Structures are given as structure tokens and as C-alpha cells.
Amino acid sequence: MIDTSLKITKTQNSKLSTVDFSDIPFGKTFTDHMYVADYKDGAWTNMEIVPFDNFSVHPANIAWHYGQAIFEGMKATKHEDGTPMLFRPEMHSDRINKSAERLAMPAFPKEAFMEAVYELVKLEGGWIPPMEGSALYLRPYMVAMDEFIGVQISSTYKFVIFCCPVGPYYSKPLKLKADDHFIRAAVGGTGEAKAAGNYAGSLYPTKLAKEEGFDQIMWLDASEHHYVQEVGTMNIFFVFGNKVVTPATDGAILKGITRISLLEILKQKGYEIEERPVSINEIMLGAQRGELTEIFGSGTAAVIANVQGIGYKGDSISMDISKYKIAPMLKDTINGMRSGRIEDTFGWTIKVV
Ligand code: COI
């Protein structure tokens, strides 16, 4: 029977008192509850919030073989008055459903997504770190559940949301390698989807880049290795004086929710913004001529991460982060909105009461 009502079972053994919010490595601490729903016979059912626990998974689980798995990353923060807040949750619902379409997975209804994140954050409010810049990171994901090793679309899925209290994803400015050999995504591929496989494919080239002393890869386009796409876990921005430039999303670049939010903030503040193809030569030359004044990444996990240098084909540029003005302003604005310190004139934050 299809049951779409949300059932909530609370834990009898909260771990909250054991957590030290001043020392939380990213993604290793999990809260007391999680949301789960099942897709079978063509419909979503069994929507539940339950005590956090392991799943039992069949060894022939189809996603473990062919990677039909997608995810989101979103954040809940605490307003200065103590009220939990969500940041643009409806955009995460829309994006996971775009990812689902690309991976031939079923859409998860927006009303159910909103109810899930709202009720979960209401229940886990005590797990939101109080410090500005920290947050409760929500990880919604959908994974195929058929027990079958033929290559085909699964007929069953799980939709899950768990939560982790987190500090910043990157603790120091980043050195990027503009990779002229490996690629992350080609237009027509799955690069715009938040698909597990995109991240799997990035691991080996990133390992090689780290061995060369870089922190992350800045991916270049698949056909010419000439145009910048994005960085490991973030979109990328370049500042030339008062002009802020970011690669236009072309089907191979993730449509970051932080990315679009930053563009809207910049527009509101009167900066000149350009979304367009950005070549690696323009970046290397711009830095050498002193015209490129800031480089930073944006993402839900990373928020804003300063880039201190880029290496490309044996050449390198380095940036003077102490002179950055726009990246710190954006970080302050977005963190301030998420703590209620700065008024959210966009209506992006939703109080969970
Ligand atoms: C996020 O920023 O939320 C992401 O999904 C990046 C993640 C791979 C850490």
C-alpha cells in the first residue's frame, strides 16, 4: 500500500552530549536521526524519520555496480535568536530531480523533500553548531536498490537524508592544478548532475595532483582543454578589478546553488558580473599582468574558498590573498545571512519553527 504520511520514531539514545562543536572534522560525525523513503511499484512510500542506523544491502545491489546514485549537499544554520534555518531548500529539491532525470531515476516529490528537511532539522536543531561559518550539513541522496547485475534502470530506490555538524570544508587557501590531460565531464555527459560517478572519476587525477603538491584540480573542458570548468568540489570565480567572472554553465558544469547565490548578491551590490567561457590562458596572463586580483571557489560545503595559486603545464601563478576584498565580502554576506546577522533581503532563508 502506498503511504506518503511521514512517520517519526525518535531515538532513545541521543549522542548529542558527546559532541564537541569546537572540533568537528567535516563529514565524520552523524546526528541521531535520518530520513528514509522507498520507491517501489512506481511510487515513493514508507517516508520515515528513524534513529540513525546502518542499512542491510544485497551484494548484487545494482548501484554498487553501475553507479545509479545521486546526491545533494545543503546546510541548516542557527539564527542569532536560536531558530534553525534552511538555505534555499527548494533549489536543492529541484536540482536533485534534474540529477534524477539524467540518471533515469524517479523524481522525489518537492513537498515530500521540503517536509523531510524541515522535520529533520526541527528534530536535530540541537546539532546545529552555534558558531558562524559552521552548520548542520544535510546529505540527501538517492540510490538504486534492485538486486540484479544486468545493466538496466533500477525499479526500486532509496531516498535518504542524514546530517553532520560541520565546520569549513577547506581549512586553508588552495593551490590548484589546471589539468591538461584528465577531464571531469564532457558536454552531453553527466557533469551537470550531482552524480556519484562524477566524483569517483575525479579521485585518481586528484591523487596525482596532490602528489605534485596541489590541493585540488581545476578542470578544463573536455574537447580543447582550454576553458575552465570547475574545481574538485566547487564552482570557480575570477575577479578582474571590479568585474567578477565565472564560467558559464554549459551542461558539463555543476549548477552550484552557492554559485548562483553569489552572482545574485554581486548583482544586488552593483558589481559587474560575467558568466562566459573563461580560458586558462586568460587566467594565467591576467595574473602575470596583475589584472587578475582574486580567485576563489564556491560550494555548499566549501562556502567560499580562497585560491592562492594555479599551476598549468609547468607554469604557475600565485595570488596575494591578503589583498582579496570581494571573496571575504561574499563570505561575510552569505554567513551573515545564515546567522541572521545580515538581513536576508532575498528571502533565501527559511526558519524552522
Ligand atoms: C557540497 O558542496 O555540498 C558538495 O556536494 C561537495 C561535496 C562533494 C563535499
Side-chain angles (χ1 to χ4, degrees):
M1 196 187 81
I2 297 172
D3 180 3
T4 56
S5 62
L6 177 61
K7 195 170 144 221
I8 300 181
T9 309
K10 292 189 186 170
T11 183
Q12 298 301 311
N13 299 301
S14 174
K15 300 169 297 207
L16 183 54
S17 63
T18 65
V19 176
D20 174 6
F21 285 135
S22 65
D23 180 25
I24 29 173
F26 187 92
K28 290 189 175 171
T29 306
F30 304 96
T31 68
D32 288 328
H33 300 91
M34 61 187 191
Y35 175 95
V36 279
D38 296 313
Y39 184 86
K40 54 186 181 192
D41 303 325
W44 287 103
T45 184
N46 300 339
M47 279 93 162
E48 279 197 79
I49 290 177
V50 291
F52 189 92
D53 203 357
N54 295 342
F55 294 123
S56 165
V57 178
H58 192 280
N61 172 284
I62 200 164
W64 283 5
H65 301 264
Y66 309 123
Q68 219 188 350
I70 53 175
F71 71 98
E72 275 300 307
M74 54 190 287
K75 276 180 171 167
T77 47
K78 225 169 221 173
H79 190 278
E80 286 176 332
D81 68 11
T83 316
M85 293 197 293
L86 290 162
F87 188 78
R88 310 193 85 173
E90 68 296 337
M91 288 197 83
H92 291 279
S93 164
D94 292 344
R95 192 171 63 178
I96 202 165
N97 285 338
K98 288 293 283 181
S99 300
E101 185 184 339
R102 180 62 183 83
L103 275 278
M105 300 166 92
F108 189 73
K110 193 172 208 161
E111 318 78 66
F113 184 98
M114 296 298 282
E115 181 184 38
V117 292
Y118 195 92
E119 293 301 329
L120 195 55
V121 167
K122 197 157 145 187
L123 196 58
E124 305 294 58
W127 286 85
I128 304 174
M131 304 84 77
E132 192 175 292
S134 297
L136 188 66
Y137 184 84
L138 274 64
R139 173 50 63 87
Y141 68 94
M142 192 193 298
V143 63
M145 291 302 288
D146 276 6
E147 297 160 3
F148 176 58
I149 55 161
V151 178
Q152 67 174 38
I153 297 171
S154 183
S155 61
T156 55
Y157 297 86
K158 250 191 200 315
F159 180 86
V160 182
I161 310 176
F162 63 77
C163 319
C164 303
V166 296
Y169 190 78
Y170 295 112
S171 53
K172 63 177 184 57
L174 302 173
K175 270 198 249 163
L176 307 180
K177 174 183 176 179
D179 204 311
D180 62 331
H181 175 66
F182 293 104
I183 59 145
R184 173 186 176 272
V187 175
T190 58
E192 198 170 270
K194 228 165 152 49
N198 292 339
Y199 296 80
S202 75
L203 297 176
Y204 177 64
T206 305
K207 169 181 172 289
L208 298 183
K210 285 185 177 171
E211 283 166 8
E212 290 175 52
F214 297 100
D215 300 299
Q216 282 290 332
I217 289 186
M218 186 168 82
W219 300 103
L220 302 178
D221 75 283
S223 54
E224 296 178 59
H225 295 283
H226 187 57
Y227 293 101
V228 176
Q229 292 183 322
E230 59 181 268
V231 171
T233 62
M234 311 183 293
N235 294 113
I236 186 93
F237 286 79
F238 304 97
V239 179
F240 297 86
N242 261 348
K243 185 169 73 185
V244 186
V245 180
T246 191
T249 53
D250 59 355
I253 296 176
L254 187 83
K255 288 188 170 166
I257 291 163
T258 309
R259 173 188 179 279
I260 195 72
S261 303
L262 298 186
L263 288 171
E264 290 175 48
I265 292 169
L266 287 164
K267 204 186 287 176
Q268 191 199 50
K269 290 188 182 288
Y271 286 91
E272 194 185 337
I273 53 177
E274 288 180 0
E275 290 181 81
R276 59 166 173 80
V278 183
S279 78
I280 183 65
N281 292 348
E282 176 183 358
I283 298 311
M284 301 304 281
L285 273 176
Q288 281 149 12
R289 292 181 180 148
E291 294 160 4
L292 177 65
T293 45
E294 299 180 40
I295 310 175
F296 59 90
S298 75
T300 297
V303 190
I304 307 279
N306 291 336
V307 173
Q308 65 173 25
I310 295 177
Y312 174 60
K313 285 188 174 172
D315 201 1
S316 67
I317 57 170
S318 65
M319 306 295 296
D320 184 353
I321 287 172
S322 68
K323 297 218 171 85
Y324 281 19
K325 290 197 173 60
I326 293 179
M329 177 279 290
L330 287 170
K331 189 171 179 176
D332 183 67
T333 307
I334 209 141
N335 282 339
M337 276 200 269
R338 283 174 167 164
S339 70
R341 177 174 54 78
I342 292 177
E343 191 192 352
D344 168 16
T345 53
F346 296 95
W348 290 339
T349 48
I350 297 183
K351 283 193 165 185
V352 175
V353 286

